Each structure stands twice: as structure tokens, then as C-alpha cells.
Amino acid sequence: MFKVLKKILREFVSFVKGVNQAIIEDSVSALELEHNELEAAFLTMVLGPLVGVATLSPILSLELLEALKNEVKVLESRAVRGEDVLGDLMASLGGEW
Amino acid sequence: MINLVDLLKPIEGAPHVVMVLGKGGVGKTSTSILISSELSRLGKTLLVSFDPAKHILKYLSISRPAEVIKVSDDFFVSQLDIEVSAKELTSKYSSLISDLFPSLSVLNLEDITKALKYAPGVEEEVFLNWLSSAYENKNFRFIVIDTPPTGISLRTLMLPKLYLLWLEKLINIRERIVSLRYVIAKTLGREVKVSDPALIKLYEMREKYGRVKEALTDPSRTSFVVVTNPEPLPMYELREVLKFLGEELSTSPKLLVMNKVLPEDIAVRLGAHEEQKAIIEEFTSLPGRSIMIPYVSNPPSKLEDILRLREAVTVVKGA
Ligand SMILES: Nc1ncnc2c1ncn2[C@@H]1O[C@H](COP(=O)(O)OP(=O)(O)O)[C@@H](O)[C@H]1O
Ligand SMILES: [Mg+2]
């Protein structure tokens, strides 16, 4: 009897843990979605002037570029190496537009 | 003889920047030389000319643009070319671009830097970039700027405001990104890296352009001098500049200069007397300090000639 109770209790605890984990994972993926969208928007604004989209001044964009090196490198590696490299790059930003 | 320096006070800021504005041909370069030579008696003075006609090289018999050349004890001159500076600035970044986008180096990197160089607004941005470093220049007590054409100059003076708006927007997004990263990492029990190079850079840029914006509207750090002639077009441009300074920067020029005033008998002989009289009347009614310089029969072509103009200066309205 005691054993059964213990077992049920343990199962209940792991159930709660699982639910918790699921909730955490759910909310994290929601946060991650927002994060990715914002990052795409940010990089679009900064890289825009380099592809002729006047999102802000080209000089401001160049001034910022150095600090964004890593992010841009990740993007570049994602982009298709075609004729229009920056075009592909912008496309690889993805996100819901 | 009148004291031009008194007419520019307050001039405490170090360096104090004097911007000489006006339509091409009115005597901007000559006025800049006059003012610089006067200020150089108080402290080390750099005169920088953005004049596309590069007259300063002729006046001072200098042949090399871009370098800083010593004219006399504390008087230094430099001729800059906005197009050349734009080229330098963009080529400074072209290695960064080719590093970031390796695939571009075989494709269209050349096109990108070229496009940047000719992008609308780059001249203004180059001028602003130069200006922001001028305010940080500790080698000179005074920096006098013989400005580029009025359109470029006024748009440049507008830029800091625009830059700050853009930066504010970028900072908002970036702060949100950084805090999301933090929350995500924390929740997943990952290690958190708090500092973000892009956000730090954005804060730095906001500082930098905020300082320029402030310096431009602080009379002890910046003097605007506007030069005109007794002719309709230079006067039209003078009104435009006054309106701009008042409306956009909430400031007013320290000194107005009416150059090339024809002696009365000559004006009568040329049939320009009535027009000149009307214009000078309007000029005299403008608020603030102002001076007049007569038209001299042999146009100044050397430093000595220009400095001699000074003896002919009369004060219309003093301090
Ligand atoms: N007071 C004056 N009397 C006669 N000629 C002048 C006077 N001031 C300037 N000039 C002449 O007018 C021309 C333009 O002068 P400059 O100072 O180079 O003007 P800006 O820089 O506005 O183009 C030059 O040839 C100069 O010698
Ligand atoms: Mg000139």
C-alpha cells in the first residue's frame, strides 16, 4: 500500500516536472521566435544600405558592421552562393514578413 | 581698426569652431582667411577649406591638398576634398566588407564600394564625420571652416538629429534582443554572456553624435558666420541660411558679412546704386552683429591682399 502510494507520488512528481519542462520549452520557443524576428529586423536595418535599401545612413551602417561581425558571418554561411550574394543574404534572414 | 575677434565672442570652447557659410563666390574663402589670421594671434588656428574650387591653395601658394600646412606662427591651413574623403572612408570599410562577405570578393565588392561612394548623402556624412572629429581636436585652439556649398552644409547640420533618431530605434531593438538572449539562456540554464559588442557600439555612436549636436548649438563652441554680397542671389541664400539656423538649430549667426560693397560713385555709374542701397538697408535691419567690406578694384589674389582687406572693414552693428 505504502509502496503503491510512493510510486504514484513519484509518478505525479515526474509528471509535474514534465509539464513544467514542457511549459518552459514552450515559452522558450516563443521567446526564441521573438528573438529571431527581432534579430532579422535589426540586421535588415543595418545591412539595408549596403544593398540599396535606405533603411538608415550607409555610414552608420558601416560604423556598426564591425561589431556585428559574428552575426553577419553566420548569415553569410547560410546564404546560397549565387550571383546576387547580398540578395541571398537578405533572403536568408527569413522571419515572417 | 576694428577687432574681428570681439565680434565672435563667446569663443571659450576648445577648440572653438567657426563655420563660414554663404553662396559660392561671395568671399567665403577670403573671409575665412581674414578670421583665421585674426584668431591665430590668440592661439593655434587651423583653417580647413572644403571649397571645391580650392581657392585657398591659390591664395596661399600651396600646391598640396589634404596636408596641414603652416602659413605663419600659429596659422595652419588644410584643403580637403569631400569626394576624396568619401573615397577614403568607403575604402577604409571595403576590407571589412570583403572579410565579412568573402563570396563578394569574386563578385561585386567593387560595385558596393562604388555605390556607397556615390550614394546620396555621402558627402554630408563625410563632412559630419570630419566635423565630429574636429570638435575632439586638441591640437588647435580654433578651427575655421570654409564650408562646402550651402546645400551640403545645411544638410550636414541636420544629420545629427536624424542619426540620433535612427540610433534610438536601433538601440531599442538591440536592447530587446539582448534581454531576450539573457532570458532564454537563463531559463535553459545556459551560461549567460551579458555584454553585446553591437549594443556597446550603438551607445558609443549615440554619445558621439549627441556631442556634435550639442556643440553645434552651443555659441561658445561654434560660431556661424554668413557672408553675402549686395546682389539678389547671395541675399536669397543668406535668408535661407538664417531661416535654417533659427528653425532647425534654434541658433543664430555670430556675424554677418556684407562683402564687395561697391563705392557709391561706381554703383551709380553701373546703375546698381538703387539695388545696392535697398539690399544694404535690409542687411542693416537684420538682428545680430554685422560688418561690411568694400569692393576692391584689384581682386585679392594673395594672402597679403586679403589681409589688407581688413583695413577697409567697417562695423555695421557691433557687440
Ligand atoms: N572685397 C572684395 N573685393 C573685390 N574682390 C573680392 C573681394 N572679396 C573677394 N573678392 C574676389 O572674389 C572672388 C571670390 O572670392 P572667394 O573668397 O574665393 O569667395 P568664395 O570662397 O565665396 O568663392 C575672388 O576672385 C576674390 O579675389
Ligand atoms: Mg571659396
Side-chain angles (χ1 to χ4, degrees), chain B residues 160-217:
Chain B
K161 212 168 165 181
L162 194 58
Y163 273 22
L164 289 169
L165 277 175
W166 273 324
L167 287 170
E168 216 48 65
K169 205 184 268 177
L170 288 172
I171 285 173
N172 272 336
I173 301 178
R174 197 70 198 177
E175 279 175 342
R176 180 81 187 137
I177 290 174
V178 171
S179 69
L180 279 170
R181 273 184 197 162
Y182 179 84
V183 173
I184 292 168
K186 259 277 195 261
T187 318
L188 296 176
R190 288 193 207 130
E191 208 181 310
V192 189
K193 217 175 99 225
V194 192
S195 88
D196 175 57
L199 192 55
I200 294 171
K201 182 72 194 175
L202 282 168
Y203 288 150
E204 270 173 31
M205 288 162 76
R206 181 169 64 184
E207 268 279 313
K208 171 176 151 189
Y209 293 110
R211 274 202 304 271
V212 181
K213 185 167 171 258
E214 207 146 285
L216 282 173
T217 50

Side-chain angles (χ1 to χ4, degrees), chain B residues 28-29 51 55 146:
Chain B
K28 251 185 333 201
T29 304
D51 184 354
H55 274 155
D146 180 12

Side-chain angles (χ1 to χ4, degrees), chain B residues 2 28 37 52 60 82 86 108 162 181 217 220 276-277 297:
Chain B
I2 63 129
K28 251 185 333 201
S37 113
L60 303 171
I82 287 216
N108 49 5
L162 194 58
R181 273 184 197 162
T217 50
S220 71
Q276 176 165 297
K277 212 177 122 201
S297 46

Side-chain angles (χ1 to χ4, degrees), chain B residues 95-124:
Chain B
S95 63
L96 175 65
I97 294 180
S98 67
D99 183 34
L100 283 180
F101 311 107
S103 41
L104 284 181
S105 52
V106 289
L107 293 169
N108 49 5
L109 176 64
E110 276 290 288
D111 292 347
I112 291 191
T113 43
K114 215 180 270 164
L116 279 175
K117 196 173 82 192
Y118 295 115
V122 165
E123 282 168 320
E124 287 83 356

Side-chain angles (χ1 to χ4, degrees), chain B residues 199-241:
Chain B
L199 192 55
I200 294 171
K201 182 72 194 175
L202 282 168
Y203 288 150
E204 270 173 31
M205 288 162 76
R206 181 169 64 184
E207 268 279 313
K208 171 176 151 189
Y209 293 110
R211 274 202 304 271
V212 181
K213 185 167 171 258
E214 207 146 285
L216 282 173
T217 50
D218 175 355
S220 71
R221 303 215 59 200
T222 309
S223 294
F224 292 104
V225 174
V226 193
V227 187
T228 187
N229 292 157
E231 285 165 49
L233 286 178
M235 281 305 283
Y236 174 79
E237 207 145 312
L238 167 71
R239 284 184 223 110
E240 288 292 299
V241 172

